[in-house]
Amino acid sequence: MPSRLNPYISFAGDARQAMEFYKSVMGGNLRLNTYGDFGSESPPGYDDKVMHSMLETASGFTLMGADNPPGMEHEPGNNIAVSLSGDDADELRGYWDKLSDGGTVSVPLEEQMWGDVFGMCTDRFGITWMVNISEQA
């Protein structure tokens, strides 16, 4: 899978409704994963909350979103990040190294419970970036 860049929106508990709305607007294929899909690793009260969703449209649009995890405050107007994802680990680690240099790392780039390598940082200009390196099959 080639690397892609797209917006990633954080929601305060209504990610499912929002992403279904965006699907009704733009069409396409919507995939949702809840915290509960990962079983015992789900935070209390989060079984039905969206951990990750992705809408891909026939026009080539990709929109991702999720409900904020426990402990992360929802800040309307500041609830969007830029996502870099794909399976080219060297390319994506190179982006991560440069984006996080001089910035703040909130989630270190490391293997996560869903099996991919993921990290989140805010660059030196205040932009939040999410980097996800997919596990190759």
Side-chain angles (χ1 to χ4, degrees), residues 10 21 28 30 32 44 55-56 74 88 92 95 104 127:
S10 297
F21 169 72
L30 175 61
L32 293 165
L55 175 64
E56 294 180 294
H74 182 259
D88 187 329
L92 292 164
Y95 295 145
T104 304
I127 304 301

Side-chain angles (χ1 to χ4, degrees), residues 76-130:
N78 195 20
N79 58 331
I80 191 163
V82 182
S83 171
L84 281 167
S85 57
D87 58 16
D88 187 329
D90 291 337
E91 177 185 27
L92 292 164
R93 282 182 191 281
Y95 295 145
W96 170 263
D97 290 343
K98 292 173 185 172
L99 289 165
S100 61
D101 184 32
T104 304
V105 173
S106 53
V107 177
L109 187 66
E110 60 190 19
E111 187 173 344
Q112 302 296 322
M113 71 172 123
W114 59 90
D116 292 351
V117 172
F118 173 84
M120 186 164 43
C121 68
T122 302
D123 70 20
R124 67 182 94 179
F125 302 103
I127 304 301
T128 301
W129 293 85
M130 305 167 86

Side-chain angles (χ1 to χ4, degrees), residues 1 23 29-30 39 46 65 69 105:
M1 164 176 68
K23 181 181 184 220
N29 180 38
L30 175 61
Y46 271 70
V105 173

